[in-house]
Amino acid sequence: MLESIKLPITVKADVNLVLVALTLMGLVTRLCGINFPKAVVFDEVYYGQFVSLYMKQLFFIDESGPPLGHMILALGAYLGGFDGNFVWDRIGAEYTSNVPVWSLRVIPALAGALCVPLGYQVMVELRYSHLTAVGATLLLLLENALIVQSRFMLLESLLIFFLLTAVLFYLRFHNAYSSGERSLTLWVWLVMSGVSCACALGVKYTGVFTYMLLLGLAVFHTWQLIGNQALSNALVMVQVMVRSFALLILPVLCYFGFFYVHLSLLCRSGPHDPMMSSAFQASLEGGLSRITQWQPLEVAYGSQVTLRSVSSKPVPCWLHSHRVNYPIRYEDGRGSSHQQQITCYPFKDVNNWWVIKDPGRQELVVSSPPQTVKHGDIIQLVHGMTSRFLNTHDVAAPVSPHLQEVSGYIDFNVSMPSQNLWKVEILNRESERAVWKTIYSEVQLVHVNTSAVLKLSGASLPEWGFRQLEVVGDKLSKGYQQRWAWNVEEHRYGRSHEQKEREQELHSPTHIDISRNLTFIDKFLEVQLKMLTMKIEETEHKYSSSPLEWVTMDTNIVYWLHPSSNAQIHLIGNIVTWTFANLGLALFSLLFIWYLLRRRRNIHDIPEETWHQFVQAGAVCAGGWVVNYLPFFMMEKTLFLYHYLPALTFKILLLSVVIEHLHVHIFRSSLQRRSLEGVLLAGLALVYVCYHTLSPFTYGYPELSSEDIPFLRWRESWDILIRQH
Amino acid sequence: MESQRCQMQPAGKEDLCTLRRRKGGGKTSEREAIRAGRLGGSEGANGRPAAASEDTNGRPVEVKRSLQDGHRRTGTCSVLALVAVLSLITRFYKILEPPHICWDETHFGKMGSYYINRTFFFDVHPPLGKMLIGLAGHLTGYDGSFPFIRPGDKYEDHDYWGMRGFCALLGSCLPPIAYLTVQELSRSSTAALIAAATLVFDTGCITISQYILLDPILMFFIMGSVLCTVKFNQQRHRPFSAPWWLWLVLTGVNLAGALGVKFVGLFVIMLVGLNTAWDLWRLLGDLDLPLAEFWKHLSARVFGLILLPLTLYIMIFAVHFVVLKKSGPGDGFFSSAFQSRLIGNNLHNASMPEYLAYGSTVTVKNIRIAGGYLHSHWHLYPEGVGARQQQVTGYLHKDYNNLWLVQRPNNSEDLSRTPDLVRHGDVIRLEHKETTRFLHSHLHKAPLTKKHLQVTGYGINGTGDPNDLWQVEVCGGRQGDPVKVLRSKVRFLHRATGCVLYSTGKTLPKWGWEQVEVTCSPYLKETPNSQWNIEDHINHKLPNISLSLLKPSFLEILVESHIVMIRGNSGLKPKDHESSSKPWHWPVNYQGLRFSGVNETEYRVYLLGNPVIWWLNLLSIGLYLLMATTAAVLFQRGVQLGGRSQERCQVLLDGGGLLFLGWLLHYLPFYTMGRILYYHHYFPAMLFSSMLTGITLDILLQCGDLLFPLAVARHLHRAAQGLLLSAFIYSFYLFHPLSYGMRGPLAHDPASAMAGLRWMESWEF
């Protein structure tokens, strides 16, 4: 027994000490003192509110991006034991003692720190030398803008982290595959790459650009695979399927997954409830469900209901009436019916209650068993508080004269008969005799006499209508418009025979039981569509900038200013690195075009192998810069300097690609190489000096005197604050 | 890939050779053919003269082919003539109906009249289209006197037929051009016929060609560019010959025309540019071609496709500015310097006091191009939008409500002596002349830009409050500098809040009469939005000095008018209540456009594509993608195809690829546009889609021979072709009232001519 154990038990480990050292330095620069400042810094004020909502599990909608980024930030808060009680109202507000500042900021900082060794690995996978990789990593390490962005509760460092992992894993996969390796790990790399793409997209929509780049690269490689006639057709098919699963289907599934977690976490009603449909609200704990929880499901004759317009534009509102009539003449001289006003009212009110009446029966109570209302049935609607019937007739509507007026009928004996029969058409019915269901059914009310449809016109009534929303009858009723559709939101079976009792009953809350569930897909679609179509108010920001200003860093952002001293934190990059990176990009483009044209004329300046390496590095790094930069020119939203950081990361990697290429292939004589090395060392020293000089703006420490600050204002356009004493 | 391509070349070259042989001596053409083979690069590598190609059985077929060619040629010509006649008939039928203004005729007819009357106006499109309309009108006796006020106005006895006829003429050129293009790309008259028939019988194409609009002109130039490019591509074996130059120059001319009508022309420029880049890349890779020769190729293309169109485009603008020399409704969109060149404008040969003084009446214009004059009127801000005080806006037209009085804060002006000059750093009040309110700002949010402060008109008859005080600051000036009229850039800093008077360039909603928002911005960056100049300056106590304004050079005018046009274009945002058409609506023919009439009693014309054709186009795009992918994968896997299939795949990838790219380039960019979009924007893309349909369906039908014996397949091919054409004709017969006018009940009424034809609920006829 004992003989089978071979002694001594040994472990062999290859440790790349340089990489470890760089990682440690990354951790030091990103993580040191992230507790400081103990105040809300810049966009923390924005993300913080969502973190708080996660902690309290309150539902919200944020149109700025998918939920993964917010959830990762919330994870930090959760691990730090944050209870969510903090008012995120202004930048610079001191954190109270219940806010675990360190753990809120540590995850983005870790991601930012890990970007440093990731840069190293990407360079190695692009088959550049380790020395080059060290160079690239040092540049990333000493990049002030990346450091600042990593040290706070912000999303860019997470985004860059996932972008780099996606690229790294894909390159690993590709390199391993083309070197003939066929093992399980190979496919793990591919799957990991797909997952990383999904994560990048899940943090910010802008991650999609790098995903597309990677997809393009994968399509190109797969196309070469298809062209390889040594492979059998079946093998090619399998390869294509596996790759498209890992890079197309898997990311989509992951994206769904993020939303699944998001929606399962946020199960309570929150600040953005009114934007969602009644069904969605009812699925949240506390909000509408508190009211609707015990409601009957099927609408019956005698039901007391509130009718909500399915369209929430301009605001969500309920069909409403009150004891005031339309004015006899409008401002423009047109006459009205002078009957009772019908409006749509954006607040809960006892006047929103309506009773559904069977035209053939007098009673306003639910018979037992309840007689349900089905698709195609004719009903009358009686206003609960005033007992007026919902009516429409051939009179021009107050604000939209091309449509019909809707009124609560009053008989003035002026040969204007009441026309109060409405046909119920359930728009989302499953069968022709579907029953009208609370919350779920979207109903169109078609007027029997004129076949007009009850519609929310979207316009506001003037002063006499209390600026409530206009409700009209619309005769052009083909197709589907949200403004024609209504759903029952609150519902109970009426029990009171007498008007007085009924009024009492209307004032009391509803209380009968139903329960329901929306499927995840329904919820996902609703939330995603709302996020994409939500109108983002075009806001101008003091520190917003245009993409043109980014390349040369003509702009900066003040992140934080000490309440009493001149200590301040800015998003300012290492300007030496930025300049070198710009040069590198220009040089790369020139070299690339030069080689490309010369190769076309069959002149090969560099070996074939080097050329392929050069092209691949260009596709990843220069391509990464292009796809992360150019699309911003087409965006209409408010842009900031930090949007440039992913592009910058790729550009820095490109710089070292160009330098190695110069060193190996352009500068042939040893004298030239020596001088290039000298220049490089001097450049690195300069980068360090720049990093060190700007570090008071990066870390907010040490504090600067008002005399020092003007010396750091290297560009006229930088906005740097000086506190006057 | 190279060798595959070379196999299909003979078919192309042969035409030219046989043609020349018929004209000239045999010997020269023989030599030509050999040279053509050599110049064709790798194509000539097999060293075989192109004319002596072999058919699939390896039998020499020269004589037989040339005979066949002769037959085909006459056949082609007669089909082409038939297409041309049919398209002329369909476009000119009922061209004078309805005899009133339809839809955008109100704009473009009006602008044509402006050219005839030579008054200056502003439009978001470049001028060529309207110039041509004006010219057509002028030549046919229209005198420019019809006001073109709103759609529905009767033309009475004005000669509008010339303008409509001109547009219809260009519109009827589209099917023949499509025929020739597809013929050239696919070498199949069936494909060409299908493509031409889709356009001839498409109600949408007919409707849009029949009225005074820019679209027929634009589409003509787009299709012209494509045809010329394709023809030019075919000449690649005879570089620098006369036809080669001809097609190159014609391409350039058409590109200039397309861009000169609408900026949509940029898309076809991109298409031609990509095609040329690909062509040059091919030439560069041809190692038999000396580099000097390549440079010759490159510079010829730079000349023909860049310099020539650019020159023409600039000349169009030169003509535009020379013709429009009188002041008109477009003046206010342009800078003061620009206006001084227009006869009748108050700045033309202006003379006014040189320095701004107290007591002067002035107009204040924003420096930002198309920023507007500082304006106010009796209307108040509506409730809920800041304080309910008088509106202050930016207005682009000249108006007496743009006049303001410059006053001292305490209004202590001594009326008898010469007024003092306003200097940098002075604090002033600006009184609106018409309403006697002061320019005022306070801590309320601006109506649209919520981070700015609201600017209002406040106080009356000389009583106001400290919020009416503004400090004058001359940009780049020092304390005590006077303010030069027209030439100084001035900023107005609000004393009480420290913000600066600012024109945001956003359009106010209806309550603000869709004028430009004016705010007080807390961000003090110097931008053109916060800089103003004094334009009119009236002060009778000061001597008038004739201002020799810096007359702008032509280049400055050109640049300025482009900036104004681009601003104008991006300013066309969908209004709150208008439902904008979405790009995905277009290919599915989801909703058309009402050209004329709404009610049952009116004469109605509805712009809507023939649904049979449009849905077939949509289907063809899907089919094309499928077929092209298959072909590409087959090539990539190196599958050996028979000669005929090989040829088909090549046509599909090359010819089809060009058209598909054209479709993409004319369609996808609309998804990124923020401006308001209309259904008719799809028509250029639809032309490409129709031509692609021709090629796709033809190849699909030809592929019948893979399943059936040759004779059966040939019959099937013919039958299917006939079926397709009769489907086009029958659907055209069904839907023709859309173009040629409907009266009587709407389609939901069984008595209507269109009863039962409203296949989609969203069609409004």
Side-chain angles (χ1 to χ4, degrees):
Chain A
M1 191 70 192
L2 277 174
E3 288 83 69
S4 64
I5 301 173
K6 281 189 184 149
L7 283 173
I9 300 172
T10 55
V11 175
K12 263 193 198 164
D14 277 342
V15 179
N16 185 342
L17 285 180
V18 177
L19 188 59
V20 172
L22 286 170
T23 313
L24 284 178
M25 276 153 76
L27 288 171
V28 169
T29 49
R30 266 71 174 173
L31 278 164
C32 235
I34 51 172
N35 262 328
F36 176 82
K38 223 171 162 39
V40 179
V41 174
F42 196 58
D43 265 357
E44 286 188 344
V45 74
Y46 182 71
Y47 297 117
Q49 49 176 334
F50 300 126
V51 169
S52 279
L53 289 171
Y54 271 114
M55 291 303 105
K56 296 177 175 175
Q57 300 200 316
L58 300 183
F59 177 77
F60 69 91
I61 275 199
D62 173 27
E63 80 289 341
S64 70
L68 180 68
H70 301 342
M71 289 196 294
I72 293 177
L73 297 182
L75 177 70
Y78 174 73
L79 294 177
F82 181 40
D83 55 5
N85 289 326
F86 184 75
V87 186
W88 305 88
D89 59 348
R90 63 179 182 90
I91 296 171
E94 288 276 327
Y95 281 122
T96 47
S97 58
N98 66 326
V99 185
V101 183
W102 190 84
S103 49
L104 281 178
R105 288 179 181 161
V106 72
I107 296 187
L110 271 177
L114 288 179
C115 287
V116 175
L118 277 175
Y120 182 94
Q121 295 287 3
V122 169
M123 291 310 293
V124 171
E125 287 303 328
L126 286 171
R127 305 218 189 98
Y128 282 86
S129 72
H130 283 266
L131 198 61
T132 311
V134 171
T137 316
L138 280 176
L139 292 182
L140 287 179
L141 182 75
L142 298 178
E143 172 44 59
N144 302 56
L146 290 178
I147 297 176
V148 174
Q149 199 67 17
S150 310
R151 288 170 59 85
F152 302 102
M153 194 176 55
L154 305 170
L155 293 181
E156 265 66 28
S157 59
L158 289 168
L159 175 66
I160 296 171
F161 173 77
F162 286 124
L163 293 183
L164 286 178
T165 46
V167 169
L168 174 66
F169 288 136
Y170 182 75
L171 287 176
R172 263 236 167 121
F173 160 76
H174 177 66
N175 288 340
Y177 186 84
S178 26
S179 66
E181 187 188 327
R182 298 285 182 277
S183 66
L184 189 64
T185 44
L186 184 73
W187 303 108
V188 172
W189 296 132
L190 185 65
V191 166
M192 296 275 277
S193 173
V195 173
S196 297
C197 284
C199 289
L201 179 59
V203 172
K204 285 210 157 196
Y205 289 128
T206 45
V208 82
F209 301 126
T210 313
Y211 177 38
M212 288 297 146
L213 176 74
L214 218 57
L215 267 187
L217 207 61
V219 166
F220 178 72
H221 288 149
T222 315
W223 189 244
Q224 283 182 333
L225 190 84
I226 293 174
N228 183 353
Q229 288 158 30
L231 300 177
S232 73
N233 285 344
L235 190 70
V236 168
M237 281 293 280
V238 170
Q239 282 287 338
V240 172
M241 303 259 274
V242 171
R243 285 166 195 228
S244 44
F245 170 77
L247 293 178
L248 283 176
I249 299 171
L250 192 67
V252 173
L253 290 179
C254 288
Y255 190 74
F256 279 127
F258 303 146
F259 271 90
Y260 186 79
V261 177
H262 172 73
L263 289 173
S264 337
L265 283 178
L266 302 179
C267 54
R268 299 190 190 143
S269 126
H272 294 153
D273 272 20
M275 286 164 47
M276 310 308 288
S277 67
S278 302
F280 192 95
Q281 293 180 42
S283 73
L284 298 171
E285 276 170 38
L288 187 66
S289 68
R290 198 179 54 225
I291 309 168
T292 57
Q293 206 166 35
W294 311 100
Q295 287 187 160
L297 177 63
E298 297 181 336
V299 176
Y301 291 107
S303 281
Q304 298 172 349
V305 296
T306 61
L307 286 165
R308 183 185 196 261
S309 170
V310 170
S311 155
S312 30
K313 283 172 197 158
V315 285
C317 63
W318 292 269
L319 191 69
H320 178 95
S321 184
H322 37 234
R323 212 178 279 280
V324 181
N325 296 355
Y326 287 112
I328 299 177
R329 294 223 164 268
Y330 298 122
E331 285 154 354
D332 56 0
R334 283 182 300 117
S336 81
S337 68
H338 195 48
Q339 294 176 359
Q340 183 166 309
Q341 294 177 11
I342 304 288
T343 64
C344 199
Y345 187 55
F347 303 99
K348 298 253 168 182
D349 187 83
V350 71
N351 271 324
N352 297 346
W353 283 97
W354 295 82
V355 183
I356 293 180
K357 180 176 171 296
D358 183 351
R361 226 163 49 112
Q362 276 309 313
E363 294 85 62
L364 290 179
V365 291
V366 175
S367 55
S368 93
Q371 192 192 348
T372 55
V373 183
K374 299 189 179 65
H375 174 71
D377 284 355
I378 309 278
I379 59 162
Q380 289 170 320
L381 278 170
V382 184
H383 187 237
M385 298 302 286
T386 61
S387 303
R388 299 284 181 211
F389 284 76
L390 188 73
N391 183 68
T392 180
H393 41 220
D394 195 11
V395 173
V399 180
S400 320
H402 53 290
L403 302 169
Q404 263 182 203
E405 179 191 273
V406 174
S407 64
Y409 185 73
I410 305 173
D411 193 1
F412 290 120
N413 245 338
V414 286
S415 67
M416 198 179 260
S418 88
Q419 305 181 17
N420 52 24
L421 295 180
W422 298 85
K423 192 166 121 193
V424 176
E425 286 184 0
I426 299 172
L427 296 168
N428 51 353
R429 60 182 180 266
E430 270 146 20
S431 71
E432 283 309 300
R433 288 303 289 163
V435 176
W436 187 357
K437 290 183 187 156
T438 312
I439 290 175
Y440 281 104
S441 298
E442 288 181 8
V443 165
Q444 182 170 311
L445 292 170
V446 186
H447 192 234
V448 172
N449 299 57
T450 60
S451 59
V453 174
L454 192 71
K455 175 187 175 180
L456 173 67
S457 78
S460 301
L461 295 172
E463 207 57 65
W464 53 257
F466 311 100
R467 308 212 165 264
Q468 297 174 5
L469 297 170
E470 185 195 33
V471 172
V472 295
D474 185 0
K475 281 190 175 179
L476 286 169
S477 60
K478 290 292 181 238
Y480 172 79
Q481 265 198 21
Q482 287 200 328
R483 288 199 169 145
W484 291 325
W486 301 82
N487 66 319
V488 167
E489 188 166 286
E490 290 170 74
H491 175 215
R492 72 185 139 215
Y493 286 158
R495 307 260 172 243
S496 334
H497 288 268
E498 290 304 312
Q499 175 67 19
K500 276 278 167 275
E501 285 175 42
R502 198 175 305 123
E503 285 178 16
Q504 281 293 317
E505 195 177 13
L506 289 178
H507 278 288
S508 60
T510 45
H511 50 69
I512 312 168
D513 179 35
I514 49 162
S515 59
R516 62 219 24 191
N517 286 310
L518 273 183
T519 63
F520 164 67
I521 291 295
D522 290 336
K523 285 166 109 178
F524 166 76
L525 286 178
E526 186 173 343
V527 170
Q528 180 71 82
L529 281 178
K530 273 272 151 49
M531 282 166 68
L532 291 176
T533 57
M534 207 150 105
K535 227 186 188 158
I536 307 160
E537 179 140 336
E538 203 186 310
T539 51
E540 197 184 1
H541 195 283
K542 194 173 175 186
Y543 296 110
S544 65
S545 49
S546 81
L548 274 182
E549 296 169 284
W550 298 344
V551 180
T552 48
M553 205 167 57
D554 278 338
T555 170
N556 69 317
I557 306 177
V558 182
Y559 270 21
W560 172 78
L561 174 67
H562 193 276
S564 57
S565 76
N566 264 322
Q568 47 193 311
I569 295 178
H570 288 264
L571 183 70
I572 291 183
N574 188 324
I575 200 154
V576 179
T577 312
W578 287 50
T579 314
F580 279 139
N582 286 340
L583 282 179
L585 182 70
L587 209 54
F588 176 83
S589 318
L590 286 179
L591 279 175
F592 179 75
I593 293 173
W594 174 252
Y595 287 146
L596 191 71
L597 294 180
R598 303 247 307 166
R599 281 173 59 81
R600 190 70 184 161
R601 297 302 293 181
N602 220 0
I603 306 168
H604 296 267
D605 300 292
I606 47 173
E608 197 67 11
E609 185 61 23
T610 316
W611 166 246
H612 285 304
Q613 188 191 4
F614 192 64
V615 170
Q616 193 174 41
V620 171
C621 301
W625 179 77
V626 167
V627 297
N628 281 300
Y629 178 54
L630 296 189
F632 285 106
F633 283 98
M634 315 234 292
M635 284 186 198
E636 288 185 349
K637 62 177 203 168
T638 322
L639 296 174
F640 294 94
L641 182 62
Y642 60 71
H643 285 121
Y644 187 58
L645 295 181
L648 177 75
T649 310
F650 284 107
K651 203 158 78 168
I652 290 175
L653 296 184
L654 184 70
L655 175 61
S656 24
V657 167
V658 173
I659 289 173
E660 174 167 336
H661 188 81
L662 285 182
H663 188 256
V664 179
H665 297 282
I666 306 282
F667 293 141
R668 298 264 162 95
S669 77
S670 67
L671 178 68
Q672 286 171 333
R673 284 189 183 168
R674 280 285 126 70
S675 41
L676 180 69
E677 283 156 16
V679 169
L680 287 180
L681 282 179
L684 267 182
L686 208 58
V687 167
Y688 178 75
V689 169
C690 182
Y691 159 76
H692 186 76
T693 319
L694 285 176
S695 64
F697 284 159
T698 306
Y699 296 101
Y701 184 87
E703 193 177 295
L704 291 166
S705 69
S706 8
E707 290 78 47
D708 292 342
I709 291 181
F711 291 106
L712 286 178
R713 198 175 158 200
W714 292 344
R715 276 180 194 276
E716 269 308 286
S717 49
W718 284 0
D719 201 341
I720 288 175
L721 309 170
I722 303 175
R723 198 173 284 281
Q724 308 288 349
H725 284 287
Chain B
M1 292 291 280
E2 284 300 334
S3 66
Q4 288 149 6
R5 207 163 275 135
C6 80
Q7 289 184 1
M8 65 160 293
Q9 284 308 332
K13 265 175 287 187
E14 197 179 18
D15 266 12
L16 301 167
C17 298
T18 45
L19 187 66
R20 225 172 312 113
R21 185 162 306 155
R22 221 169 290 137
K23 281 184 193 158
K27 276 201 174 148
T28 43
S29 64
E30 200 66 52
R31 214 182 308 138
E32 287 264 359
I34 294 170
R35 202 173 67 193
R38 190 166 54 76
L39 281 178
S42 53
E43 285 94 321
N46 48 15
R48 207 165 34 174
S53 81
E54 298 166 347
D55 74 357
T56 38
N57 303 329
R59 189 158 40 91
V61 285
E62 191 182 350
V63 182
K64 198 176 123 197
R65 276 266 176 108
S66 77
L67 264 177
Q68 268 183 357
D69 268 5
H71 284 303
R72 205 180 295 155
R73 193 159 284 278
T74 45
T76 302
C77 282
S78 51
V79 174
L80 184 61
L82 180 72
V83 167
V85 169
L86 274 178
S87 62
L88 278 172
I89 293 173
T90 48
R91 267 69 180 168
F92 276 91
Y93 178 63
K94 281 199 177 178
I95 180 91
L96 295 180
E97 295 277 319
H100 58 244
I101 303 175
C102 290
W103 196 52
D104 270 359
E105 282 189 338
T106 172
H107 298 309
F108 302 121
K110 193 191 301 171
M111 289 167 189
S113 310
Y114 283 140
Y115 281 104
I116 297 174
N117 299 325
R118 313 193 65 174
T119 42
F120 189 77
F121 68 94
F122 162 72
D123 186 34
V124 295
H125 304 301
L128 180 64
K130 290 150 300 190
M131 260 172 1
L132 289 176
I133 289 173
L135 184 68
H138 183 65
L139 293 179
T140 53
Y142 169 62
D143 56 359
S145 56
F146 187 66
F148 282 99
I149 295 173
R150 72 180 73 81
D153 289 356
K154 292 264 183 296
Y155 283 115
E156 311 286 346
D157 49 0
H158 293 275
D159 284 320
Y160 64 99
W161 61 270
M163 293 186 277
R164 276 199 187 166
F166 170 69
C167 292
L169 188 68
L170 292 188
S172 13
C173 292
L174 299 180
I177 297 180
Y179 184 90
L180 289 172
T181 310
V182 176
Q183 166 81 28
E184 204 67 53
L185 283 176
S186 69
R187 303 255 142 228
S188 152
S189 48
T190 316
L193 185 62
I194 296 174
T198 50
L199 295 184
V200 169
F201 296 114
D202 178 46
T203 48
C205 276
I206 294 173
T207 312
I208 207 161
S209 305
Q210 282 196 313
Y211 300 93
I212 308 172
L213 298 175
L214 297 185
D215 303 79
I217 310 175
L218 172 73
M219 294 197 293
F220 172 80
F221 283 121
I222 289 179
M223 289 293 275
S225 317
V226 176
L227 176 65
C228 295
T229 313
V230 170
K231 287 274 189 194
F232 175 72
N233 282 348
Q234 293 299 337
Q235 296 291 333
R236 68 165 62 128
H237 308 294
R238 303 195 302 158
F240 308 111
S241 63
W244 188 91
W245 277 109
L246 177 74
W247 291 119
L248 178 67
V249 169
L250 277 180
T251 311
V253 172
N254 276 304
L255 288 181
L259 188 64
V261 177
K262 273 191 181 186
F263 286 124
V264 173
L266 278 175
F267 302 149
V268 77
I269 290 181
M270 273 155 70
L271 178 69
V272 172
L274 285 175
N275 178 63
T276 310
W278 175 246
D279 196 29
L280 284 173
W281 183 244
R282 186 186 58 79
L283 285 172
L284 186 66
D286 176 5
L287 294 178
D288 292 339
L289 194 74
L291 211 51
E293 195 79 358
F294 175 77
W295 286 117
K296 237 168 101 185
H297 272 282
L298 181 66
S299 31
R301 281 166 179 83
V302 168
F303 163 74
L305 301 177
I306 297 177
L307 295 182
L308 177 73
L310 198 65
T311 319
L312 289 175
Y313 181 73
I314 291 173
M315 267 163 58
I316 293 169
F317 272 87
V319 173
H320 172 76
F321 290 121
V322 168
V323 170
L324 303 181
K325 58 182 186 188
K326 293 187 209 159
S327 159
D331 293 12
F333 287 89
F334 291 85
S335 66
S336 312
F338 186 95
Q339 292 177 31
S340 67
R341 28 177 311 287
L342 298 168
I343 301 169
N345 188 293
N346 50 352
L347 295 177
H348 187 69
N349 298 330
S351 76
M352 54 181 75
E354 194 180 4
Y355 295 109
L356 183 67
Y358 289 101
S360 299
T361 306
V362 295
T363 58
V364 182
K365 191 172 199 300
N366 194 242
I367 295 281
R368 179 183 189 265
I369 291 169
Y373 294 95
L374 188 67
H375 177 98
S376 184
H377 39 230
W378 282 111
H379 305 275
L380 306 184
Y381 283 103
E383 193 153 317
V385 182
R388 223 172 130 70
Q389 296 172 3
Q390 185 166 305
Q391 296 176 13
V392 171
T393 64
Y395 189 50
L396 284 165
H397 300 274
K398 301 212 158 190
D399 186 83
Y400 60 86
N401 269 328
N402 299 343
L403 294 177
W404 299 82
L405 282 168
V406 183
Q407 293 184 352
R408 283 187 189 282
N410 44 8
N411 207 7
S412 62
E413 196 60 29
D414 181 0
L415 294 174
S416 54
R417 56 189 192 90
T418 1
D420 287 337
L421 298 184
V422 177
R423 294 177 187 278
H424 180 101
D426 279 10
V427 175
I428 61 162
R429 286 195 301 191
L430 281 174
E431 183 185 311
H432 188 236
K433 195 159 188 223
E434 184 66 18
T435 61
T436 71
R437 307 251 193 241
F438 292 113
L439 187 73
H440 177 98
S441 182
H442 47 215
L443 294 170
H444 282 272
K445 283 180 196 162
L448 301 178
T449 315
K450 299 290 184 198
K451 298 206 168 170
H452 292 189
L453 304 180
Q454 188 192 26
V455 174
T456 65
Y458 181 72
I460 195 154
N461 286 336
T463 50
D465 70 1
N467 273 335
D468 304 338
L469 301 182
W470 300 82
Q471 185 169 25
V472 177
E473 188 186 288
V474 180
C475 296
R478 274 174 314 186
Q479 199 71 27
D481 282 357
V483 178
K484 284 187 204 154
V485 169
L486 284 167
R487 276 167 287 183
S488 292
K489 293 176 181 171
V490 186
R491 305 209 307 160
F492 297 97
L493 293 162
H494 191 239
R495 285 292 284 173
T497 57
C499 57
V500 60
L501 191 68
Y502 192 93
S503 163
T504 59
K506 293 178 194 164
T507 309
L508 292 171
K510 228 181 217 164
W511 56 256
W513 311 98
E514 289 164 17
Q515 295 172 2
V516 180
E517 185 194 36
V518 168
T519 62
C520 196
S521 163
Y523 309 124
L524 300 181
K525 249 188 201 173
E526 274 196 16
T527 62
N529 296 58
S530 62
Q531 295 172 333
W532 304 78
N533 73 354
I534 310 296
E535 190 170 291
D536 297 290
H537 183 216
I538 306 159
N539 195 326
H540 299 299
K541 300 205 187 90
L542 286 173
N544 283 347
I545 292 167
S546 177
L547 294 169
S548 54
L549 269 174
L550 308 162
K551 288 240 174 188
S553 69
F554 174 67
L555 208 64
E556 282 168 329
I557 301 179
L558 193 70
V559 170
E560 181 174 347
S561 57
H562 274 81
I563 296 174
V564 176
M565 279 192 284
I566 291 165
R567 289 263 165 76
N569 251 321
S570 55
L572 293 173
K573 296 272 188 238
K575 312 229 171 67
D576 292 344
H577 297 294
E578 274 177 64
S579 54
S580 169
S581 175
K582 305 273 187 314
W584 68 263
H585 288 172
W586 305 338
V588 290
N589 212 16
Y590 179 78
Q591 199 168 32
L593 262 177
R594 283 206 188 94
F595 261 41
S596 152
V598 180
N599 294 331
E600 310 197 340
T601 52
E602 287 168 313
Y603 183 93
R604 298 187 307 276
V605 174
Y606 189 64
L607 175 70
L608 184 77
N610 181 339
V612 173
I613 289 172
W614 281 54
W615 292 339
L616 191 70
N617 279 346
L618 192 63
L619 181 76
S620 302
I621 288 171
L623 269 177
Y624 172 75
L625 282 179
L626 210 67
M627 286 159 64
T629 316
T630 317
V633 170
L634 286 179
F635 277 152
Q636 181 74 4
R637 292 292 296 162
V639 177
Q640 286 303 313
L641 301 166
R644 206 175 299 192
S645 299
Q646 179 98 25
E647 210 169 290
R648 279 177 204 151
C649 287
Q650 208 59 56
V651 167
L652 206 56
L653 289 180
D654 292 351
L658 183 73
L659 296 175
F660 185 67
L661 184 68
W663 179 74
L664 284 183
L665 283 175
H666 282 82
Y667 179 47
L668 292 191
F670 286 103
Y671 280 95
T672 64
M673 286 188 197
R675 62 163 278 172
I676 185 161
L677 297 172
Y678 295 106
Y679 175 64
H680 73 273
H681 288 150
Y682 183 66
F683 276 85
M686 182 267 175
L687 298 175
F688 286 97
S689 167
S690 293
M691 291 194 279
L692 186 63
T693 304
I695 288 187
T696 313
L697 291 186
D698 177 46
I699 287 178
L700 188 73
L701 295 180
Q702 283 181 19
C703 286
D705 64 3
L706 298 179
L707 299 174
F708 305 103
L710 205 58
V712 180
R714 206 165 274 165
H715 282 299
L716 271 179
H717 187 199
R718 213 157 282 158
Q721 192 186 340
L723 195 72
L724 210 56
L725 288 181
S726 38
F728 289 167
I729 296 174
Y730 183 64
S731 60
F732 170 67
Y733 166 73
L734 286 180
F735 285 95
H736 78 273
L738 291 178
S739 305
Y740 300 133
M742 308 165 271
R743 271 182 207 283
L746 300 172
H748 58 75
D749 189 327
S752 160
M754 302 301 293
L757 289 176
R758 224 179 116 186
W759 296 344
M760 282 176 85
E761 296 281 6
S762 48
W763 296 346
E764 306 141 311
F765 54 80

